[in-house]
Amino acid sequence: MLFNPILRSVARTGARRVPSGSARQATTSAAKVGPGVPASFLSNWYKLIGKSNVTYVTFIIGGVLAGEVLWGFGTDAVWASVNKGRTFDTIDWTKFKSDDDDEDDDDDDDDDDDDDDDDEEGGDDDDDDE
């Protein structure tokens, strides 16, 4: 794209239109205008965190981890509030309980006893030898 002659000429003239002195003055004057960050705060931050590369990297990693935890809790809370009553945890399962479930459990217990009887009948023949 930059090989296009029209784009090259626009890029050249655009670079010539911005004088270097005005750009430098704009950045210094913008730093003086507005509330910004107080110089004492920046100085203290640099003394505590920014001076050493190890503390700065630790600060960044800790900030990322803390931000991830907060973001996770926040999105989980939003998800839970939007889907209340629709997820497994928020459904009132007592509405679905029926009396037939108890009878089925008793039948299953009886079946288990029958299996145990088969094991006893075909058990050890060593008792007869004594």
Side-chain angles (χ1 to χ4, degrees), residues 49-127:
I49 297 167
K51 207 170 201 178
S52 171
N53 193 28
V54 173
T55 56
Y56 180 70
V57 170
T58 304
F59 175 75
I60 296 295
I61 291 173
V64 166
L65 291 175
E68 177 63 29
V69 167
L70 292 174
W71 182 260
F73 281 128
T75 55
D76 287 346
V78 169
W79 180 266
S81 68
V82 169
N83 293 311
K84 188 169 185 162
R86 297 179 188 158
T87 60
F88 185 80
D89 296 333
T90 59
I91 292 177
D92 184 16
W93 291 104
T94 59
K95 294 179 181 178
F96 300 106
K97 185 167 177 74
S98 65
D99 294 331
D100 295 339
D101 291 341
D102 294 335
E103 294 174 6
D104 290 341
D105 291 340
D106 293 338
D107 293 339
D108 290 342
D109 291 340
D110 293 339
D111 292 341
D112 291 341
D113 294 338
D114 294 339
D115 293 339
D116 292 339
D117 292 338
D118 293 339
D119 291 340
E120 290 177 7
E121 291 175 5
D124 298 332
D125 292 332
D126 294 338
D127 294 334

Side-chain angles (χ1 to χ4, degrees), residues 6-71:
I6 297 171
L7 291 176
R8 275 189 287 176
S9 66
V10 169
R12 286 182 193 157
T13 57
R16 289 183 199 151
R17 289 182 188 167
V18 178
S20 61
S22 67
R24 189 174 297 147
Q25 291 172 354
T27 57
T28 56
S29 64
K32 294 178 184 176
V33 178
V37 180
S40 62
F41 175 78
L42 291 176
S43 175
N44 289 334
W45 181 88
Y46 180 76
K47 287 177 187 175
L48 293 173
I49 297 167
K51 207 170 201 178
S52 171
N53 193 28
V54 173
T55 56
Y56 180 70
V57 170
T58 304
F59 175 75
I60 296 295
I61 291 173
V64 166
L65 291 175
E68 177 63 29
V69 167
L70 292 174
W71 182 260

